[in-house]
């Protein structure tokens, strides 16, 4: 197990940091999902169809995630007779703090496992999990990249969940008192000196004399005077080990070696150094060992949107496309890639909903979203059935067929040359369209 990509917040921080340094190996050596999977294997359930499906579905989910943007919320459902796992992928920048929460309501008190993965060397590496019995995870991302959240209930577990993923402020104080991230007018990477060098930080504009404060607790490592930065302060962030740089100060208010708490004044905004011809501002930089200057923006950004509240839960297990065409997309917005175009009457399994989009799985097991205006409940078409072949799952196991006797059938939807039908005893299966 690898956990170096995340810094867990609050109590978890100790566990992850300890593990990263290779100390206290008895902590966090396994996680609830893995423990549960091992229990299934120990009890011999791996040899049963159900146990095997549960383990396979956990792996399969990693290969078939939907894509989302943060913040995100979804109301979803897991059914007892459906061995299921959901997976959502998203990008995060180093320094972003994320809160994942699932409000899980299960009538049979089954557990829901929450795991986070990071994409590295062509595969998803497990990097974090909600503690046993909880569906909550706070973490800080220590590397830019693609992350994945997986939810899976225990075997035969069922319930409804309200899932939210939202960013939380990383630093508890903004470096310039009384200001917020809207006062950042020059970002990391901007050209400097006609493109000869890059801007290794961000500029936060404020009136001369505005207090510059410690965004985290730490120690002042040096006070400097002169050069590009003019009057500057360096401090060390105790939690992360980063060096923080505050430049162009009008004056400094601390001495080297002083311990500071979050919010303590380090100095005052000015325009010393090479800022003498611009308006007073704080140049703020973050330097990381073996990495150099990194973008401070995700650390100081405090203008974060909350995840929306979703109204209602899916009430039906499947719906059909109600227009001539429906774009089936990787994520819940128009700018996500179209996976395929579905036709009128095509049947999809409903997994969850946002306020405008329905998360679905197609019968050939692809996960994505369809705009809710393009789906409706099926209206059964009754026909007198002839003797013919029927299939449980023609898209995945086409050889798995059985002989159907004559009788009335209700046809509910179609997909890729097959129709989804139900007999008078309530059994559902696929029949070929011709
Ligand atoms: Zn600057």
């Amino acid at each position: 197990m690898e956990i170096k990509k995340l810094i867990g917040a609050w109590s978890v921080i100790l566990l992850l940091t300890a593990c990263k340094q290779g100390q206290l190996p008895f902590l966090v050596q396994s996680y609830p999902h893995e423990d549960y999977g091992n229990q299934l294997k120990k009890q011999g359930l791996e040899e049963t169809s159900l146990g095997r499906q549960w383990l396979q579905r956990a792996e399969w989910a990693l290969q078939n995630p939907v894509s989302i943007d943060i913040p995100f919320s979804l109301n979803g459902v897991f059914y007892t007779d459906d061995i299921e796992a959901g997976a959502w992928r998203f990008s995060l920048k180093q320094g972003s703090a994320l809160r994942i929460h699932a409000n899980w309501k299960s009538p049979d008190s089954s557990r829901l496992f929450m795991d986070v993965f990071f994409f590295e060397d062509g595969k998803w590496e497990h990097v974090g999990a909600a503690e046993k019995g909880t569906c909550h995870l706070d973490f800080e991302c220590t590397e830019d990249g693609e992350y994945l959240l997986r939810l899976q209930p225990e075997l035969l577990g069922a319930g409804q969940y309200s899932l939210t993923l939202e960013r939380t402020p990383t630093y508890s104080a903004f470096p310039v008192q009384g200001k917020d991230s809207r006062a950042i007018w020059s970002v990391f990477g901007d050209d400097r000196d006609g493109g000869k060098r890059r801007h290794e930080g961000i500029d936060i504009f404020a009136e001369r004399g505005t207090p510059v404060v410690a965004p985290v607790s730490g120690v002042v490592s040096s006070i400097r005077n002169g050069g590009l930065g003019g009057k500057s302060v360096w401090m060390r962030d105790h939690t992360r080990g980063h060096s923080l740089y505050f430049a162009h100060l009008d004056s400094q208010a601390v001495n080297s070696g002083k311990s500071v708490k979050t919010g303590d004044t380090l100095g005052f905004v000015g325009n010393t150094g090479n800022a003498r011809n611009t308006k007073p501002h704080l140049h703020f930089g973050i330097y990381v060992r073996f990495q150099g200057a990194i973008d401070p923006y995700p650390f100081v950004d405090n203008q974060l949107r909350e995840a929306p509240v979703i109204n209602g839960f899916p009430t039906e297990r499947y719906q059909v496309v109600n227009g001539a065409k429906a774009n089936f997309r990787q994520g819940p917005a128009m700018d996500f890639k179209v996976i395929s175009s579905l036709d009128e009457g095509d049947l999809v399994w409903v997994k969850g909903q946002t306020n405008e989009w329905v998360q679905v799985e197609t019968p050939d097991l692809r996960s994505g979203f369809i705009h809710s205006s393009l789906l409706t409940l099926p209206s059964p078409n009754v026909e007198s059935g002839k003797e013919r072949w029927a299939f449980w799952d023609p898209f995945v196991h086409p050889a798995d067929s059985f002989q159907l006797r004559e009788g009335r059938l209700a046809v509910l939807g179609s997909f890729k040359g097959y129709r989804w039908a139900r007999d008078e005893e309530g059994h559902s299966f696929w029949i070929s369209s011709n």
Side-chain angles (χ1 to χ4, degrees), residues 34 83 134 165 210 269 314 373 394 409:
E34 188 183 40
I83 311 280
T134 72
L165 291 92
T210 309
V269 171
S373 65
L409 293 177

Side-chain angles (χ1 to χ4, degrees), residues 161-316:
Y161 61 91
S162 293
L163 172 67
T164 53
L165 291 92
E166 51 196 358
R167 284 184 52 200
T168 55
T170 307
Y171 289 158
S172 30
F174 191 75
V176 178
Q177 200 175 81
K179 294 285 176 184
D180 57 42
S181 45
R182 289 172 296 185
I184 299 166
W185 291 356
S186 177
V187 297
F188 186 80
D190 279 357
D191 277 355
R192 283 295 185 268
D193 294 338
K196 285 201 202 93
R197 59 188 183 94
R198 288 190 324 138
H199 192 212
E200 292 200 332
I202 55 175
D203 293 339
I204 304 165
F205 285 79
E207 301 69 42
R208 181 185 308 280
T210 309
V212 167
V213 303
V216 288
S217 62
V219 155
V220 175
S221 43
S222 72
I223 301 293
R224 293 187 196 170
N225 208 336
L228 298 178
K231 291 184 178 176
S232 61
V233 170
W234 284 88
M235 76 168 268
R236 193 156 186 80
D237 171 344
H238 270 339
T239 308
R240 301 168 184 82
H242 300 165
S243 287
L244 311 184
Y245 177 52
F246 307 81
H248 309 318
L249 302 176
D250 203 45
S251 62
Q252 295 108 324
V254 283
N255 295 319
S256 181
K258 183 180 165 47
S259 288
V260 288
K261 296 191 302 293
T262 305
D264 283 355
T265 301
L266 303 173
F268 301 91
V269 171
N271 62 340
T272 55
N274 70 339
R276 60 190 164 272
N277 295 322
T278 50
K279 283 168 76 174
H281 67 270
L282 169 70
H283 171 95
F284 176 59
I286 301 179
Y287 293 80
V288 179
R289 234 177 136 199
F290 306 125
Q291 210 183 346
I294 61 164
D295 185 2
Y297 193 82
F299 292 84
V300 300
D301 184 12
N302 55 8
Q303 297 296 297
L304 304 169
R305 286 180 299 136
E306 282 180 21
V309 174
I310 308 299
N311 307 308
F313 283 85
T315 51
E316 301 296 329

